[in-house]
Amino acid sequence: VWVMPINLIGVCILLLIHLKSSAIVGILVMVLLMPIQGWIGKAISRLRIQTVKTTDRRVRLMSDILSAIKLVKLYCWEKSFSVTTRDIREEEVSWLRKAAYLKGLNFVLGSASSGIALFSTLLVYVLLGNELTAAKVFTGLALFNQARLPLILFPLGIKFLAEFVIAFKRLQSFMQREDLVDARVVTEPEDIA
């Protein structure tokens, strides 16, 4: 992860040497797409939090149902609990679907950013009156593709960081709970001879 900025700086320098000032446009396109990817990553993180909360509700409900299954069967509450469980699961799937759409959008932006940057750079290069040769195109393509990997890994890094923070907070919350004392445990008096 720490190599990504070094890689991008090297690619930018080579682009400026090879395609002159028109490379600034492509670099700006890449730089402008990164905050968009960051924003999408944060939105994915918020959706992940909602998904976890909904999953917790569903698991808690299923645990309650299973612990009281005799009462559920005795009073014929299966349909009622089935509807409630289905509704919670549909909500959970809805959060997952929204997150999947955003993940897909973020991946497409990361993958297409080098192509968009190359196109805009070459367009400005030609508009500035320079002659476009195959060597310029393929060298620019290679350099922008070299920058593509860090741009793809950037949103993945944000996603993994967000999921780590969520998991860490959940684990921290669990670890800071009070210990449960089981009232059924009988302790022996210490002074028995």
Side-chain angles (χ1 to χ4, degrees), residues 76-91:
C76 300
W77 290 338
E78 294 98 336
K79 288 188 181 184
S80 172
F81 281 110
S82 174
V83 169
T84 304
T85 305
R86 187 192 68 230
D87 291 345
I88 292 174
R89 181 64 184 147
E90 284 176 0
E91 180 184 347

Side-chain angles (χ1 to χ4, degrees), residues 137-167:
V137 172
F138 286 112
T139 304
L141 180 63
L143 289 172
F144 277 112
N145 279 336
Q146 184 67 31
R148 191 173 101 190
L149 183 62
L151 293 175
I152 290 173
L153 292 179
F154 177 72
L156 289 175
I158 290 174
K159 175 187 156 243
F160 291 140
L161 179 65
E163 288 184 3
F164 169 76
V165 169
I166 292 167

Side-chain angles (χ1 to χ4, degrees), residues 115-142:
I116 296 168
L118 176 65
F119 175 75
S120 58
T121 298
L122 294 177
L123 181 66
V124 170
Y125 187 77
V126 170
L127 291 176
L128 289 176
N130 297 308
E131 182 182 344
L132 191 61
T133 63
K136 296 282 185 193
V137 172
F138 286 112
T139 304
L141 180 63

